[in-house]
Amino acid sequence: MTAAPVVQTPLDPRRILEAAQALRMADAGPNSPAGLISVLCDDNVGGDELAARIEAQPVLCARVLQVANSPYYGQAKTVANIPRALLLLGVNALRGIAAAACVDQVMPQRIECLPDIPAILRHSLATAIGGEMLATMTHPLLARDAFLAGLLHNLGIGLQASLDPTGTTAIIAARQAHPAEPIRCLEARYSKYPHEECAAVLFEAWALPDCFIESARSHHQPGEAHPPHGVLASLVWASANLALSCGNTYSLEPVASESDYAWLSDMGLYERHIEAVKEELPQRLALLSGAFR
């Protein structure tokens, strides 16, 4: 039986941060995964400093080198160390690899009411790849941010589920009858904690740049993003829907929404771009996700 609709109350950021602390998502210290995510999103941190930060964490360093040597990057010779990875792949690729490894650590591995956390992470990785591909076509300067924003956009789901497991369970149950109903409508009906706002509060605590906070807060309705960040939020929205349409679904979003991509033409994105990403995304995702196993 689906739970009765909740009575909406003003959002309390302190409750969200308390939940983040309990899930060990709030620690943004220099040696924490969240702390490194903050570094990876900081334009003021150069390649040498980034390499040093990665090398200082042996587990992360090993994971980055594992991915750098995967078929996804197609290196003819072994990438033996982080400086070599930086030289061959570039700083943006290094940021993306390290960020994917950190997101995998930050997202709780088990929450009782979420049956498929690995699928949520896979969806986020697909969104990151798709966002980078779309941005490269028409907004190349946003390609790195589109990848990072795609990785991060769904971290609020873990907080939402922890704060309101009954509401999360009700949303998942409602999906069985209405799989394509907009997630915001279901959240307004059943949950006190919208996952987009949970992510935004967390990212503010991490002191991430505004573009990542806004793209997380508005990735289901990018028109609501503050104007400087509307393009990035739109890239995340489009790539997340493309990820769903390629089969990278999960219990809270079991199907892609019926979306009209026509308005993306204002950003220089057209049907040919969408179809090109849709065709190539499954193979790219298979290669990159396989490298993280």
Side-chain angles (χ1 to χ4, degrees):
M1 179 180 294
T2 302
V6 300
V7 176
Q8 293 295 319
T9 57
L11 201 66
D12 184 355
R14 292 175 300 177
R15 289 288 310 280
I16 295 173
L17 292 178
E18 287 170 1
Q21 190 68 43
L23 294 171
R24 299 184 178 179
M25 299 176 73
D27 180 12
N31 296 319
S32 69
L36 187 54
I37 288 173
S38 298
V39 171
L40 295 168
C41 293
D42 188 348
D43 285 330
N44 296 316
V45 176
D48 291 341
E49 181 180 349
L50 181 61
R53 293 289 293 269
I54 294 172
E55 287 184 308
Q57 301 188 40
V59 174
L60 176 63
C61 181
R63 177 57 64 90
V64 169
L65 291 176
Q66 174 183 324
V67 178
N69 283 290
S70 72
Y72 187 84
Y73 288 102
Q75 294 301 309
K77 296 183 179 180
T78 300
V79 182
N81 53 55
I82 298 299
R84 182 70 174 165
L86 178 63
L87 177 65
L88 293 177
L89 305 183
V91 66
N92 286 341
L94 191 63
R95 288 180 193 272
I97 296 170
C102 289
V103 166
D104 191 53
Q105 294 178 53
V106 167
M107 185 72 166
Q109 297 302 303
R110 178 177 173 80
I111 297 177
E112 192 64 35
C113 63
L114 283 180
D116 52 357
I117 289 176
I120 296 171
L121 291 169
R122 184 178 177 86
H123 169 78
S124 295
L125 186 59
T127 301
I129 296 170
E132 182 180 49
M133 292 172 70
L134 287 175
T136 299
M137 293 171 178
T138 58
H139 295 80
L141 294 179
L142 284 178
R144 184 210 69 174
D145 286 354
F147 187 92
L148 294 174
L151 282 174
L152 297 169
H153 80 286
N154 261 348
L155 283 179
I157 289 176
L159 293 169
Q160 179 191 54
S162 176
L163 285 160
D164 189 5
T166 300
T168 299
T169 299
I171 293 172
I172 293 173
R175 282 301 200 191
Q176 296 177 6
H178 305 286
E181 186 168 354
I183 188 65
R184 278 189 167 181
C185 294
L186 292 173
E187 287 183 336
R189 194 176 306 154
Y190 297 116
S191 179
K192 301 175 183 177
Y193 296 93
H195 74 285
E196 290 172 298
E197 194 61 35
C198 287
V201 169
L202 179 65
F203 297 167
E204 286 172 348
W206 287 356
L208 294 192
D210 288 346
C211 62
F212 298 109
I213 297 170
E214 279 298 299
S215 61
R217 178 177 275 131
S218 306
H219 68 264
H220 283 287
Q221 292 289 339
E224 297 177 1
H226 292 165
H229 310 304
V231 172
L232 183 60
S234 295
L235 287 167
V236 175
W237 170 82
S239 56
N241 208 55
L242 280 170
L244 293 171
S245 69
C246 290
N248 301 289
T249 60
Y250 53 100
S251 55
L252 286 162
E253 293 197 76
V255 298
S257 62
E258 300 237 356
S259 298
D260 179 7
Y261 294 101
W263 62 273
L264 291 178
S265 62
D266 292 340
M267 297 165 47
L269 288 169
Y270 299 95
E271 185 176 356
R272 66 180 184 274
H273 299 116
I274 301 297
E275 292 304 316
V277 172
K278 189 181 294 187
E279 181 177 351
E280 194 174 342
L281 180 58
Q283 181 180 8
R284 288 202 182 194
L285 176 63
L287 287 173
L288 190 53
S289 61
F292 278 97
R293 289 174 187 159

